[in-house]
Amino acid sequence: MSSDRSAQKRNAGRRAADYVQDGMIVGLGTGSTARFAIERIGERIEEEGISIQGIPTSVETEKLAEEAGIELVELDEADKIDLAIDGADEVDEEKRLIKGGGGALLREKIVAYNSKRYMIIVDPSKKVERLGEDFPLPVEVLPKWQKAIEDSVRKLGCEPKIRTYEGEAFLTDNGNNILDCDFNGIDNPEELSKRLSSIPGVLENGLFIDMTDVVIIGKKKGFEELD
Ligand code: 5RP
């Protein structure tokens, strides 16, 4: 990652951490931008003595949060999530997202859905006019009966590719596979999301619609907020 890109992500992440207040339950996203927010929350716990509880969206984030000194809680033990902070792979003008580049989309979507406020942190390269032109849509699927599920997804007008890692099918934290689906641009994300969800064996898709409250776009110096 270039140093400019890293500075943009850092500025977005650190800004998001300013919104965390004492006593909050905070959803902690996954990825290189979310990492900056988690680290800054950890600094604030140490410097200001604020007390918060975090709900991580992946095993990777759980480790990072522990290292940062953030107390963790299970979603089922928390009656609400005050604020969730997460990255995204693409954001359009209507704050619709593609997520799942890191493979954590299922838990990320559950946390987003259960949050009072959902804050997205990105660098400027993630802002797009039309979703899915450059970034293939991640879709989490059951590993069993893969071909049948893949064929059903293909019928929606994309070329699905099973994500691999070190020569093997990539496994999510939930033990599932990811199909990266190239739609060459998505005209109607709402409709596509519904159609994907209606395919048996599709466990979640990376379209996050009507969820985002705030987008923070990190700049080389400072940030821009879309509220
Ligand atoms: C993980 C995600 C990430 O938020 C997304 O991939 C963005 O990652 P990064 O901040 O590293 O660019 O959806 O499933």
Side-chain angles (χ1 to χ4, degrees):
M1 196 193 313
S2 73
S3 62
D4 279 3
R5 178 73 61 84
S6 181
Q8 291 161 344
K9 286 175 186 251
R10 185 171 189 270
N11 287 337
R14 290 180 75 83
R15 172 60 180 160
D18 288 345
Y19 284 91
V20 173
Q21 290 172 13
D22 190 45
M24 274 188 170
I25 294 181
V26 182
L28 302 170
T30 296
S32 55
T33 320
R35 169 191 277 263
F36 286 117
I38 293 163
E39 287 171 355
R40 179 64 192 137
I41 293 169
E43 286 173 15
R44 289 194 54 207
I45 290 171
E46 206 171 302
E47 289 164 9
E48 300 167 34
I50 59 167
S51 165
I52 69 135
Q53 289 180 307
I55 299 182
T57 52
S58 62
V59 173
E60 176 194 315
T61 292
E62 189 176 327
K63 282 195 203 127
L64 275 177
E66 278 169 354
E67 280 164 23
I70 301 173
E71 184 189 329
L72 299 179
V73 65
E74 283 295 335
L75 178 56
D76 286 350
E77 289 158 17
D79 53 6
K80 60 177 167 36
I81 302 174
D82 297 291
L83 171 69
I85 301 171
D86 205 345
D89 300 298
E90 288 191 340
V91 189
D92 76 3
E93 267 185 7
E94 294 176 50
K95 298 192 197 122
R96 298 177 297 194
L97 316 172
I98 287 185
K99 284 185 54 56
L105 66 149
L106 177 57
R107 293 192 197 179
E108 287 174 336
K109 202 180 264 191
I110 296 171
V111 165
Y113 185 84
N114 285 284
S115 297
K116 287 191 191 165
R117 197 148 190 245
Y118 190 46
M119 186 171 279
I120 287 298
I121 47 178
V122 289
D123 64 79
S125 71
K126 307 291 183 71
K127 193 98 188 358
V128 298
E129 279 187 16
R130 186 167 171 244
L131 295 174
E133 267 181 23
D134 295 324
F135 199 88
L137 178 67
V139 176
E140 182 157 348
V141 295
L142 196 74
K144 197 169 168 64
W145 296 324
Q146 183 83 217
K147 188 179 169 302
I149 299 167
E150 201 174 313
D151 285 348
S152 307
V153 171
R154 185 177 290 104
K155 283 184 190 147
L156 299 184
C158 67
E159 195 36 63
K161 265 201 201 121
I162 180 118
R163 188 179 297 180
T164 56
Y165 178 69
E166 294 180 346
E168 303 284 331
F170 171 83
L171 278 187
T172 68
D173 288 347
N174 318 302
N176 302 313
N177 293 145
I178 298 277
L179 294 177
D180 287 307
C181 301
D182 185 1
F183 281 91
N184 199 15
I186 298 170
D187 289 325
N188 189 336
E190 288 80 0
E191 175 67 18
L192 178 61
S193 180
K194 279 187 202 144
R195 292 181 72 186
L196 281 165
S197 299
S198 72
I199 298 174
V202 166
L203 302 167
E204 197 46 85
N205 73 76
L207 286 165
F208 284 49
I209 296 163
D210 279 339
M211 289 184 147
T212 309
D213 297 300
V214 189
V215 178
I216 301 179
I217 304 172
K219 301 283 164 77
K220 208 169 138 189
K221 287 200 174 126
F223 51 82
E224 179 190 352
E225 287 188 14
L226 313 175
D227 206 338

Short mmCIF file of all heavy atoms in Angstrom, two decimals, residues 100-103 136 138-139 141 146 150 160-172 176-181:
data_model
loop_
_atom_site.label_atom_id
_atom_site.label_comp_id
_atom_site.label_asym_id
_atom_site.label_seq_id
_atom_site.Cartn_x
_atom_site.Cartn_y
_atom_site.Cartn_z
N GLY A 100 -16.72 -7.08 1.95
CA GLY A 100 -16.39 -8.51 1.94
C GLY A 100 -15.05 -8.82 1.31
O GLY A 100 -14.68 -9.99 1.18
N GLY A 101 -14.30 -7.75 0.96
CA GLY A 101 -12.95 -7.98 0.41
C GLY A 101 -12.09 -8.78 1.36
O GLY A 101 -11.23 -9.55 0.95
N GLY A 102 -12.34 -8.62 2.67
CA GLY A 102 -11.57 -9.37 3.66
C GLY A 102 -12.29 -10.66 4.08
O GLY A 102 -11.80 -11.38 4.94
N GLY A 103 -13.44 -10.90 3.48
CA GLY A 103 -14.14 -12.16 3.75
C GLY A 103 -14.99 -12.16 5.02
O GLY A 103 -15.47 -13.20 5.45
N PRO A 136 -15.40 -7.04 -7.83
CA PRO A 136 -16.39 -8.13 -7.89
C PRO A 136 -17.11 -8.28 -6.56
O PRO A 136 -16.50 -8.15 -5.50
CB PRO A 136 -15.55 -9.38 -8.19
CG PRO A 136 -14.15 -8.93 -8.36
CD PRO A 136 -14.02 -7.52 -7.90
N PRO A 138 -18.49 -9.87 -3.40
CA PRO A 138 -18.28 -11.10 -2.63
C PRO A 138 -19.62 -11.69 -2.15
O PRO A 138 -20.48 -10.96 -1.66
CB PRO A 138 -17.44 -10.64 -1.44
CG PRO A 138 -16.89 -9.30 -1.81
CD PRO A 138 -17.95 -8.69 -2.69
N VAL A 139 -19.75 -12.98 -2.30
CA VAL A 139 -20.97 -13.67 -1.87
C VAL A 139 -20.53 -14.89 -1.04
O VAL A 139 -19.75 -15.72 -1.52
CB VAL A 139 -21.81 -14.12 -3.10
CG1 VAL A 139 -23.01 -14.93 -2.67
CG2 VAL A 139 -22.25 -12.91 -3.92
N VAL A 141 -20.99 -18.42 0.54
CA VAL A 141 -21.82 -19.58 0.19
C VAL A 141 -21.42 -20.82 0.98
O VAL A 141 -20.27 -20.95 1.44
CB VAL A 141 -21.74 -19.92 -1.33
CG1 VAL A 141 -22.32 -18.81 -2.17
CG2 VAL A 141 -20.29 -20.20 -1.76
N GLN A 146 -21.42 -26.83 -3.98
CA GLN A 146 -20.85 -25.61 -4.53
C GLN A 146 -21.26 -25.32 -5.97
O GLN A 146 -21.63 -24.21 -6.31
CB GLN A 146 -19.32 -25.78 -4.47
CG GLN A 146 -18.51 -24.65 -4.91
CD GLN A 146 -18.37 -23.63 -3.78
OE1 GLN A 146 -18.36 -22.49 -4.07
NE2 GLN A 146 -18.28 -24.04 -2.54
N GLU A 150 -23.22 -22.14 -7.34
CA GLU A 150 -22.50 -21.26 -8.28
C GLU A 150 -23.31 -21.07 -9.58
O GLU A 150 -23.40 -19.96 -10.09
CB GLU A 150 -21.15 -21.91 -8.59
CG GLU A 150 -20.12 -20.94 -9.09
CD GLU A 150 -18.76 -21.61 -9.24
OE1 GLU A 150 -18.31 -22.31 -8.32
OE2 GLU A 150 -18.16 -21.43 -10.31
N PRO A 160 -19.02 -15.87 -11.49
CA PRO A 160 -18.51 -16.10 -10.14
C PRO A 160 -17.20 -16.88 -10.14
O PRO A 160 -17.04 -17.81 -10.93
CB PRO A 160 -19.60 -16.96 -9.48
CG PRO A 160 -20.50 -17.42 -10.57
CD PRO A 160 -20.06 -16.84 -11.87
N LYS A 161 -16.30 -16.47 -9.26
CA LYS A 161 -15.02 -17.20 -9.11
C LYS A 161 -14.85 -17.53 -7.64
O LYS A 161 -14.97 -16.63 -6.79
CB LYS A 161 -13.86 -16.27 -9.50
CG LYS A 161 -13.42 -16.42 -10.92
CD LYS A 161 -12.00 -15.90 -11.09
CE LYS A 161 -11.76 -15.57 -12.54
NZ LYS A 161 -11.40 -14.19 -12.78
N ILE A 162 -14.55 -18.78 -7.37
CA ILE A 162 -14.34 -19.13 -5.97
C ILE A 162 -13.04 -18.49 -5.48
O ILE A 162 -12.02 -18.55 -6.16
CB ILE A 162 -14.34 -20.67 -5.77
CG1 ILE A 162 -14.12 -21.04 -4.31
CG2 ILE A 162 -13.31 -21.36 -6.61
CD1 ILE A 162 -15.28 -21.78 -3.75
N ARG A 163 -13.11 -17.83 -4.33
CA ARG A 163 -11.89 -17.18 -3.80
C ARG A 163 -10.96 -18.24 -3.26
O ARG A 163 -11.40 -19.20 -2.60
CB ARG A 163 -12.26 -16.19 -2.69
CG ARG A 163 -11.08 -15.34 -2.24
CD ARG A 163 -11.44 -14.35 -1.17
NE ARG A 163 -12.42 -13.37 -1.61
CZ ARG A 163 -12.89 -12.40 -0.83
NH1 ARG A 163 -12.47 -12.29 0.41
NH2 ARG A 163 -13.79 -11.54 -1.30
N THR A 164 -9.66 -18.09 -3.56
CA THR A 164 -8.69 -19.07 -3.06
C THR A 164 -7.65 -18.37 -2.17
O THR A 164 -7.45 -17.16 -2.26
CB THR A 164 -7.96 -19.78 -4.22
OG1 THR A 164 -7.34 -18.80 -5.04
CG2 THR A 164 -8.89 -20.63 -5.05
N TYR A 165 -7.03 -19.19 -1.35
CA TYR A 165 -5.94 -18.70 -0.51
C TYR A 165 -4.90 -19.81 -0.42
O TYR A 165 -5.23 -20.93 -0.04
CB TYR A 165 -6.48 -18.34 0.89
CG TYR A 165 -5.42 -17.86 1.85
CD1 TYR A 165 -4.80 -16.63 1.67
CD2 TYR A 165 -5.02 -18.66 2.91
CE1 TYR A 165 -3.81 -16.19 2.54
CE2 TYR A 165 -4.03 -18.23 3.80
CZ TYR A 165 -3.44 -16.99 3.59
OH TYR A 165 -2.46 -16.57 4.46
N GLU A 166 -3.69 -19.49 -0.84
CA GLU A 166 -2.59 -20.47 -0.87
C GLU A 166 -3.01 -21.76 -1.58
O GLU A 166 -2.78 -22.87 -1.10
CB GLU A 166 -2.08 -20.75 0.55
CG GLU A 166 -1.41 -19.51 1.16
CD GLU A 166 -0.88 -19.70 2.57
OE1 GLU A 166 -1.22 -20.71 3.21
OE2 GLU A 166 -0.11 -18.84 3.00
N GLY A 167 -3.68 -21.59 -2.71
CA GLY A 167 -4.01 -22.73 -3.56
C GLY A 167 -5.26 -23.50 -3.16
O GLY A 167 -5.69 -24.41 -3.85
N GLU A 168 -5.84 -23.15 -2.01
CA GLU A 168 -7.05 -23.85 -1.53
C GLU A 168 -8.21 -22.87 -1.53
O GLU A 168 -8.00 -21.66 -1.52
CB GLU A 168 -6.84 -24.31 -0.08
CG GLU A 168 -5.65 -25.21 0.17
CD GLU A 168 -5.89 -26.62 -0.31
OE1 GLU A 168 -7.06 -27.05 -0.31
OE2 GLU A 168 -4.92 -27.28 -0.71
N ALA A 169 -9.43 -23.40 -1.50
CA ALA A 169 -10.60 -22.52 -1.38
C ALA A 169 -10.49 -21.76 -0.06
O ALA A 169 -10.20 -22.35 0.99
CB ALA A 169 -11.88 -23.36 -1.40
N PHE A 170 -10.68 -20.44 -0.14
CA PHE A 170 -10.63 -19.59 1.06
C PHE A 170 -11.80 -19.94 1.98
O PHE A 170 -12.93 -20.13 1.52
CB PHE A 170 -10.73 -18.12 0.61
CG PHE A 170 -10.91 -17.13 1.73
CD1 PHE A 170 -9.80 -16.68 2.44
CD2 PHE A 170 -12.16 -16.64 2.06
CE1 PHE A 170 -9.95 -15.75 3.46
CE2 PHE A 170 -12.32 -15.71 3.09
CZ PHE A 170 -11.21 -15.27 3.79
N LEU A 171 -11.51 -20.06 3.26
CA LEU A 171 -12.57 -20.34 4.24
C LEU A 171 -12.81 -19.11 5.10
O LEU A 171 -11.86 -18.52 5.65
CB LEU A 171 -12.15 -21.49 5.15
CG LEU A 171 -12.34 -22.91 4.66
CD1 LEU A 171 -12.03 -23.89 5.78
CD2 LEU A 171 -13.76 -23.17 4.14
N THR A 172 -14.06 -18.71 5.23
CA THR A 172 -14.38 -17.57 6.10
C THR A 172 -14.28 -18.02 7.57
O THR A 172 -14.16 -19.21 7.86
CB THR A 172 -15.81 -17.06 5.85
OG1 THR A 172 -16.73 -18.06 6.30
CG2 THR A 172 -16.04 -16.77 4.38
N ASN A 176 -17.20 -21.06 5.68
CA ASN A 176 -17.84 -21.07 4.35
C ASN A 176 -16.87 -20.60 3.27
O ASN A 176 -15.75 -20.21 3.56
CB ASN A 176 -19.07 -20.17 4.38
CG ASN A 176 -20.06 -20.62 5.43
OD1 ASN A 176 -20.37 -21.81 5.52
ND2 ASN A 176 -20.53 -19.70 6.25
N ASN A 177 -17.33 -20.62 2.02
CA ASN A 177 -16.53 -20.14 0.89
C ASN A 177 -17.04 -18.79 0.42
O ASN A 177 -18.15 -18.37 0.77
CB ASN A 177 -16.59 -21.13 -0.28
CG ASN A 177 -15.93 -22.46 0.03
OD1 ASN A 177 -16.39 -23.49 -0.43
ND2 ASN A 177 -14.87 -22.46 0.83
N ILE A 178 -16.22 -18.13 -0.39
CA ILE A 178 -16.63 -16.85 -0.99
C ILE A 178 -16.60 -17.00 -2.51
O ILE A 178 -15.60 -17.48 -3.07
CB ILE A 178 -15.65 -15.71 -0.60
CG1 ILE A 178 -15.62 -15.46 0.91
CG2 ILE A 178 -16.00 -14.42 -1.36
CD1 ILE A 178 -16.70 -14.58 1.47
N LEU A 179 -17.67 -16.59 -3.15
CA LEU A 179 -17.66 -16.43 -4.61
C LEU A 179 -17.47 -14.95 -4.89
O LEU A 179 -18.24 -14.11 -4.39
CB LEU A 179 -18.99 -16.88 -5.22
CG LEU A 179 -19.36 -18.35 -5.12
CD1 LEU A 179 -20.75 -18.58 -5.73
CD2 LEU A 179 -18.33 -19.22 -5.84
N ASP A 180 -16.44 -14.59 -5.66
CA ASP A 180 -16.27 -13.20 -6.09
C ASP A 180 -16.94 -13.08 -7.45
O ASP A 180 -16.52 -13.73 -8.42
CB ASP A 180 -14.78 -12.85 -6.14
CG ASP A 180 -14.19 -12.71 -4.73
OD1 ASP A 180 -14.76 -11.94 -3.93
OD2 ASP A 180 -13.19 -13.39 -4.42
N CYS A 181 -17.99 -12.26 -7.51
CA CYS A 181 -18.89 -12.25 -8.67
C CYS A 181 -18.74 -10.97 -9.47
O CYS A 181 -19.13 -9.88 -9.00
CB CYS A 181 -20.33 -12.39 -8.19
SG CYS A 181 -20.58 -13.90 -7.25
#
